[in-house]
Each structure stands twice: as C-alpha cells, then as structure tokens.
Amino acid sequence: MTQAPVRSRTVRRQHDREIVALAVPAFGALVAEPLFVMADSAIVGHLGTAQLAGLGVASALLTTAVSVFIFLAYATTAAVARRVGAGDLPSAIRQGMDGIWLALLLGAAVIAVVLPTAPFLVDLFGASTTAAPYATTYLRISALGIPAMLVVLASTGVLRGLQDTRTPLYVAIAGFLANAALNAGLVYGAGLGIAGSAWGTVIAQCGMAAAYLVVVVRGARRHGASLRPDAAGIRASAQAGVPLLVRTLSLRAILMIATAVAARLGDADIAAHQIILSLWSLLAFALDAIAIAGQAIIGRYLGAGDSRGAREVCHRMVEWGIAVGIGLGLLVVLARPAFLPLFTGDAAVKDAALPALIIVAVSQPICGVVFVLDGVLMGAGDGPYLAWAMLITLAVFTPVALLVPVLGGGLTAVWVAMTLMMTVRMLTLWLRTRSGRWVVTGATR
C-alpha cells in the first residue's frame, strides 16, 4: 500500500536533484551574458553621450543578429541529449560538431552581410548624426566576433546535451571578467575609444569560443568522434534549426510590436515600458534556466527510450515552473517601491509603470509553465509544432496589441495583451504535452 507513494517521493527527489544541478549553473551563465553589454556601457559611457548612444544602437543590432541564431544552442542540446540517453557518446559529440560547423558557416555569412551594410543598418535603427559614426565603428569591429559568438551558442548546446551546465557558467564568468579588463585597457589605456571596447569584446568572445572548443575537441578525441565537417550532418542541424528560427523570429516580432505600440502612447509610457521589459527579461532568465534543464533531461530520457520517465520529469518541471513563477511574482510586488526609483524619478513614468508591474507579477506563474513546456518540447525535438504554435500566438497578439491605442488603457493594456500572448502560448503548449505526441523515443526523432 505504501510502496507507490514512497517510490513517487523518491522519483520526485531524483528529478529535483537533476533539475537543480542543471538549472542553477544555467541561470548563472544566462545572467552573465547581459553583463557583457552592461560592462561595455559603463566603460564607454564615460567617453561621452554620443559614444554611449552609438554603442546602444550597435549593441541592439548585434543582440538581434545573435539571438536569431539561438536555435544553435536549443537544437544542439536536444540532439546531443538524445544520443547521450541512447548511450552513444561518440555520435552525441559528432552531432555537436555538426552544430559548431554550422555556427561557423552562419557566422561567416553574417560578417559578409554586416560589414558592407553597417552604415545602412545603423541609420535604419534611427541613430543620430552624432552617434552614427561611433555605432558604425563598433558594429563593424564587433561583427568580426559573431562567428565566435555563434560557436559559443552551439558549444553551450553540446555541453548542455552532455548534462554539463557548469562549464558554460565558468566560461561565461571568465569571459565577463576578460571583457571588462580588455575594454578598460583598450578604451583608456590604449586610447582606442569606442573601437577599443569593440575589440575587447571580440577578443573575449574568441577566447570563450576557444575554451569551448578545447573542451569539445578533448571529448571528441576521448570517444573517437570525428572533428571533420560532414555535409549531411550540417544540413540536418540546419533543418532541425529552421522551425526554432521561425519560433524565435515570431517572438521577436511580438516584442517589437509591443514596443512600437507603447511608443505611440507617449514618452512616459515608452520609458515605463522599457523599464518593465528589462525586468520581464531578467525574470525570464530564472524561468529559462528551468527550461534549459528540461531540454537536457527530456532529451536524455527519450533517447534512453524511457517515455514514462520523460512524462514524470515533465510533470515535475511544470510544478517547478509554477512555484518559481509564484515566487517571482511575489518578489515583483514586494520590490516595486524600491525597483522603480533605480531607473527613474519621473512621477509620470512611475504612475504608468506601477499598474503594469502588477500585471507582470500576476502573469509569472503562467510564464513559468510556458518556459518549462517550451523547454520540454525543445528537448523532445518538437520544433515544427513550436513554430506553428508561435505563429498562432503572433496572429492572436497582433490585432489585440494594435487596438490598444484605439481603445485606450495605456501601458497597462499593453501588458494585459502581453499576458494574453503568454496565456495563448501556455494553452498551445499544454495541449501538445497533454496529447503525448511529443513523446518519441530513440537516438533520433
């Protein structure tokens, strides 16, 4: 009579240990990434307003270019984890190398596009005449580091698939420290100005990529996996990434529409929106860490042919997502009085932000479920469904958001629309996981 509950508690504890072991280091690595931009901003900001504005435009362009290719991490994690679960480590590392070669090819293509078009891209993002030269300089130099950035994404996916999130954390910390030191030395010590900041970032990113490659190459040699580019494998990695690219672009479109709508509401609303969006993104790191654990664990269970284990860990991670979401929501409510003064002393901006922050707080449990189920389906290699689900979400969100300036409600209505968007995502993901169609076992999907 008591064996089932005892087993259930034992399984839950096992899953909890796995989730924590992967999610905590993943969270640290995720938080380290935006610190790169913060360090650059802090150092360049003392050069002048025009230089800082130029950095802002160039960083936005670079962030967009790199985030589009986040599938290099997601798709690689799922593919490698499946092969780890199947007990085929040489094939797992070989799959990871295909993702790394794809990253290098995509990085070279991005450089070929960005270098000649940098002035046009800077102008497209609305840089002022004084900031544009600095933005162009930073963008052209930093673009040289894009292949390294993409290799970092793909290599991170390899290690996550191998159930290792500690190494990415160590590399991210080392990269941040190197970036800060190089930026300070080149900007002021060498007198290179904003160009020194760009070169510092490029060198740091190349160092991170080199560290990852050392780890992956050692693993390949230890298990006898080939390091040579394989056309069929690279093509398969690209095909697996296309649906996730569609998903990412759809999500980017949603965020851009929300920002455009907020901008039409007035200066106070767009300023408040940027503050809230920065907080929303920070909260997303905590939830995304659980999703990353889900990608790695689910892929491993399915690769091992353990469909029951995959379902059990999925259920447990949803519980984690809800619990963390509730905790983050309460934290937002309690921290509101201290949070807003860090960004603004404008009463109008605070008045616009306060009710919208309540909406953000209430929506966090929904966000928790969305991030977890997103990670589960990514780990299962269910990319095509994720792409269609996000396109449906975009189709629902767009008309609702565009009606906000017409119907009124201000920034609060914008974030109600954002909550609706997350609710639609939750429903589409829940229906898929409930159907069980994502549970496809084996070394490949």
Side-chain angles (χ1 to χ4, degrees):
M1 292 292 290
T2 60
Q3 287 183 350
V6 169
R7 181 189 182 280
S8 180
R9 287 195 297 271
T10 302
V11 169
R12 281 201 302 271
R13 284 196 294 268
Q14 177 188 341
H15 292 328
D16 289 344
R17 286 194 296 269
E18 287 183 320
I19 294 167
V20 171
L22 290 172
V24 172
F27 174 69
L30 288 170
V31 170
E33 292 174 10
L35 293 179
F36 270 78
V37 177
M38 290 179 64
D40 289 1
S41 299
I43 292 169
V44 171
H46 292 285
L47 294 174
T49 301
Q51 289 90 333
L52 184 58
L55 173 66
V57 172
S59 294
L61 284 162
L62 285 167
T63 301
T64 300
V66 174
S67 64
V68 163
F69 299 111
I70 192 66
F71 69 83
L72 288 167
Y74 293 160
T76 303
T77 297
V80 171
R82 274 186 175 269
R83 287 161 176 79
V84 168
D88 189 355
L89 284 178
S91 178
I93 296 174
R94 173 66 262 178
Q95 179 71 36
M97 285 304 306
D98 291 335
I100 291 172
W101 281 112
L102 176 61
L104 287 170
L105 292 173
L106 291 173
V110 173
I111 288 178
V113 172
V114 171
L115 288 183
T117 62
F120 169 76
L121 293 172
V122 166
D123 183 62
L124 187 66
F125 262 57
S128 67
T129 54
T130 54
Y134 297 111
T136 302
T137 296
Y138 190 93
L139 181 59
R140 278 182 165 156
I141 296 173
S142 295
L144 300 176
I146 287 179
M149 296 179 194
L150 299 189
V151 166
V152 167
L153 286 178
S155 301
T156 300
V158 176
L159 295 179
R160 288 173 181 171
L162 294 171
Q163 317 296 296
D164 176 11
T165 56
R166 290 183 178 273
T167 299
L169 172 61
Y170 301 147
V171 173
I173 293 173
F176 166 72
L177 295 175
N179 178 68
L182 286 166
N183 269 259
L186 294 174
V187 170
Y188 297 111
L192 296 179
I194 195 168
S197 177
W199 281 117
T201 300
V202 169
I203 295 169
Q205 291 287 352
C206 288
M208 292 173 65
Y212 275 119
L213 289 175
V214 167
V215 174
V216 174
V217 168
R218 282 179 179 172
R221 288 176 176 171
R222 185 165 57 249
H223 296 287
S226 174
L227 297 173
R228 294 180 179 179
D230 176 67
I234 294 172
R235 187 165 55 250
S237 294
Q239 289 172 345
V242 168
L244 296 181
L245 175 61
V246 173
R247 167 200 168 276
T248 300
L249 290 174
S250 300
L251 181 56
R252 278 277 160 187
I254 287 170
L255 297 177
M256 289 175 65
I257 291 169
T259 300
V261 170
R264 293 182 62 187
L265 300 176
D267 290 347
D269 288 285
I270 185 59
H273 177 73
Q274 290 301 328
I275 293 171
I276 295 170
L277 190 60
S278 67
L279 174 63
W280 192 77
S281 299
L282 180 62
L283 298 173
F285 285 134
L287 299 173
D288 201 27
I290 306 174
I292 287 169
Q295 293 170 31
I297 297 171
I298 290 294
R300 192 186 79 233
Y301 271 97
L302 293 178
D306 187 356
S307 58
R308 179 182 178 182
R311 292 175 186 274
E312 287 177 343
V313 76
C314 172
H315 183 266
R316 187 56 177 164
M317 278 188 290
V318 168
E319 293 176 343
W320 268 82
I322 294 172
V324 173
I326 291 172
L328 292 175
L330 291 173
L331 184 62
V332 169
V333 172
L334 294 174
R336 277 189 313 154
F339 174 74
L340 288 175
L342 294 176
F343 292 87
T344 182
D346 190 322
V349 175
K350 290 181 180 179
D351 289 343
L354 281 171
L357 278 174
I358 294 295
I359 301 298
V360 170
V362 171
S363 70
Q364 285 309 296
I366 296 173
C367 294
V369 175
V370 169
F371 274 83
V372 166
L373 294 183
D374 209 38
V376 166
L377 296 183
M378 282 185 191
D382 205 9
Y385 181 84
L386 289 172
W388 282 111
M390 190 58 79
L391 287 172
I392 292 170
T393 302
L394 175 60
V396 172
F397 171 79
T398 301
V400 173
L402 294 178
L403 283 173
V404 169
V406 178
L407 299 179
L411 187 64
T412 302
V414 173
W415 281 93
V416 168
M418 288 287 285
T419 302
L420 171 65
M421 177 270 292
M422 294 301 289
T423 303
V424 172
R425 287 187 69 188
M426 182 181 69
L427 291 174
T428 57
L429 298 174
W430 177 76
L431 288 172
R432 184 64 168 182
T433 52
R434 187 170 181 271
S435 72
R437 294 178 182 174
W438 59 278
V439 183
V440 179
T441 58
T444 57
R445 183 176 172 85

